[in-house]
């Protein structure tokens, strides 16, 4: 089955010269494009395409280094521009072997439509094709779209790409953390184990018989698992941060009223709840205007 080329499009409220500069000059390009750690132009030979090298850090001290060349630029009469690229790498570790693509800059009344389309050949035969189709191609398409949104915000609002990426990854780390915490504490100590300490805290807070306490514990476990799933499925996560900013102080107050001795237990619930409350405050603060790949158009029309 033939792969669909990667296509990403976004409208940037700026003039074409500024977008061109931010995407064509290597020291600017490498700041906003998540796909590259560094880009360096090689000395240009007269009447030859501009060649460059790139490097992408992939973690654990490993990196992929490759080559590229600007195979042509076209400036049309309507003011649009197109820049075509040929790229590849000789490193066997890279899923990409060689590819081609282009960037297009289309002036609009008060903005620039910036788009790219590219495709590539892969290494590792059928296994590489399978991995590319199911994992790598969706991932690099997403990284391209996220990078375009970071570029847009940099040009329109002046926010440095590095600070945008810090906010983005911090936001998602907190999302995964809170989801995991709620699901674990709902399923583990409450629903699966019905831990005696959980039952004891329940009965201290709300006097009831053992059977009722167990039923209440299961109900609370289901609510916590549901909240954990909301962190993954619900898009307006800023509301979840707000909810937690209100909930965690109430949990602390409830524990104190039920039995003040819980506050000095090893791995005290007090410090645990306070830590989550502070993280919720930080999350609420950084969750404003987080970069997103969803702001880009991912399919060509027409």
């Amino acid at each position: 089955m033939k792969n669909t080329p990667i296509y990403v499009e976004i409208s940037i409220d700026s003039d074409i010269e500024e977008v061109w500069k931010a995407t064509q000059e290597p020291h600017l390009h490498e700041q906003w494009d998540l796909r590259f750690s560094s880009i360096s132009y090689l000395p240009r030979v007269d009447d030859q395409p501009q060649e460059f090298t790139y490097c992408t850090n992939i973690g654990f001290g490993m990196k992929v280094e490759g080559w590229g060349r600007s195979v042509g630029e076209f400036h049309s009469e309507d003011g649009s521009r197109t820049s075509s690229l040929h790229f590849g790498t000789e490193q066997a570790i890279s899923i990409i072997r060689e590819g081609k693509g282009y960037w297009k800059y289309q002036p609009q009344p008060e903005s620039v439509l910036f788009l790219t389309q590219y495709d590539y050949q892969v290494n590792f035969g059928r296994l590489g094709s399978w991995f590319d189709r199911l994992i790598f191609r969706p991932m690099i398409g997403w990284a391209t779209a996220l990078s375009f949104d970071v570029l847009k915000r940099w040009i329109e609002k002046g926010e440095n790409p590095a600070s945008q990426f810090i906010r983005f990854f911090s936001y998602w780390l907190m999302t995964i953390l809170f989801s995991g915490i709620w699901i674990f504490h709902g399923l583990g100590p409450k629903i699966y184990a019905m831990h005696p300490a959980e039952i004891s805290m329940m009965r201290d807070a709300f006097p009831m018989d053992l059977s009722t306490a167990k039923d209440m514990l299961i109900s609370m476990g289901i609510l916590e698992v549901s909240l954990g799933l909301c962190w993954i499925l619900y898009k307006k996560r800023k509301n979840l941060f707000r909810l937690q900013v209100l909930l965690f102080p109430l949990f602390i107050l409830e524990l104190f009223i039920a039995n003040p001795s819980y506050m000095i237990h090893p791995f005290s619930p007090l410090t645990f709840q306070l830590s989550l409350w502070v993280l919720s405050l930080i999350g609420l603060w950084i969750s404003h205007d987080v970069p997103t790949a969803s702001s880009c158009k991912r399919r060509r029309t027409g």
Side-chain angles (χ1 to χ4, degrees):
M1 184 174 68
K2 186 177 180 180
N3 288 322
T4 302
I6 294 170
Y7 180 85
V8 178
E9 171 188 312
I10 197 168
S11 179
I12 302 175
D13 295 339
S14 179
D15 61 78
I16 195 169
E17 293 297 339
E18 188 171 6
V19 179
W20 180 269
K21 179 179 178 181
T23 55
Q24 294 291 329
E25 295 191 11
H27 73 284
L28 298 177
H29 180 187
E30 67 189 22
Q31 292 185 54
W32 59 264
D33 200 330
L34 195 59
R35 298 168 296 174
F36 304 103
S37 302
S38 64
I39 304 170
S40 301
Y41 274 177
L42 299 176
R44 186 166 188 174
V45 179
D46 291 342
D47 300 324
Q48 294 295 320
Q50 173 66 65
E51 297 188 344
F52 61 90
T53 60
Y54 68 84
C55 174
T56 302
N57 296 323
I58 58 177
F60 306 103
M62 296 186 294
K63 59 185 178 181
V64 172
E65 296 178 327
W67 53 266
R69 60 180 64 97
S70 300
V71 295
E73 294 179 7
F74 178 72
H75 297 230
S76 66
E77 294 181 358
D78 65 0
S80 64
R81 303 179 187 179
T82 303
S83 174
S84 300
L85 298 172
H86 183 195
F87 57 89
T89 177
E90 309 302 327
Q91 286 187 263
I93 194 175
S94 173
I95 185 69
I96 294 177
R97 182 168 74 247
E98 186 174 346
K100 293 181 179 180
Y102 65 87
W103 285 352
K104 187 171 183 179
Y105 309 73
Q106 180 67 54
Q108 296 178 315
E110 295 182 358
S111 62
V112 176
L113 186 65
F114 177 50
L115 63 90
T116 186
Q117 179 171 298
Y118 61 96
D119 202 359
Y120 50 83
Q121 300 170 343
V122 301
N123 289 313
F124 313 116
R126 290 185 178 180
L127 180 61
S129 297
W130 174 85
F131 178 80
D132 175 62
R133 186 176 299 114
L134 295 182
I135 299 175
F136 184 77
R137 188 170 291 257
M139 183 179 68
I140 198 170
W142 167 84
T144 304
L146 177 64
S147 299
F148 273 36
D149 190 56
V150 169
L151 171 66
K152 173 183 174 72
R153 293 164 189 265
W154 186 23
I155 291 176
E156 292 182 354
K157 302 179 181 180
E159 183 180 4
N160 185 277
S163 66
Q164 293 189 58
F165 284 125
I166 289 172
R167 189 167 76 254
F168 173 84
F169 287 109
S170 298
Y171 170 85
W172 277 103
L173 282 172
M174 288 188 185
T175 294
I176 296 168
L177 172 68
F178 282 125
S179 177
I181 287 173
W182 286 114
I183 291 174
F184 171 79
H185 280 273
L187 284 177
K190 292 181 174 65
I191 295 175
Y192 175 74
M194 286 194 154
H195 198 282
E198 291 276 7
I199 296 175
S200 177
M201 285 189 287
M202 178 75 68
R203 299 183 72 184
D204 286 340
F206 308 101
M208 63 185 74
D209 59 51
L210 181 60
S211 177
T212 303
K214 289 182 177 180
D215 290 340
M216 287 285 291
L217 197 63
I218 292 174
S219 298
M220 287 190 63
I222 293 172
L223 286 174
E224 290 186 2
V225 171
S226 299
L227 184 53
L229 293 175
C230 281
W231 274 103
I232 300 299
L233 302 175
Y234 183 55
K235 293 184 178 181
K236 296 181 179 179
R237 296 180 183 89
K238 194 168 187 177
N239 293 334
L240 298 179
F241 283 119
R242 289 193 182 105
L243 176 63
Q244 292 187 168
V245 168
L246 296 175
L247 283 180
F248 289 127
L250 294 177
F251 291 161
I252 294 172
L253 180 61
E254 177 194 348
L255 285 170
F256 182 78
I257 293 173
N259 190 339
S261 67
Y262 288 131
M263 302 300 179
I264 56 174
H265 278 194
F267 304 105
S268 167
L270 173 63
T271 56
F272 177 65
Q273 301 284 357
L274 277 176
S275 298
L276 296 182
W277 182 67
V278 171
L279 282 175
S280 297
L281 284 173
I282 296 173
L284 181 60
W285 178 53
I286 68 172
S287 61
H288 173 69
D289 204 23
V290 178
T292 174
S294 63
S295 65
C296 294
K297 183 178 176 181
R298 303 287 299 278
R299 293 183 181 275
R300 175 183 288 280
T301 56

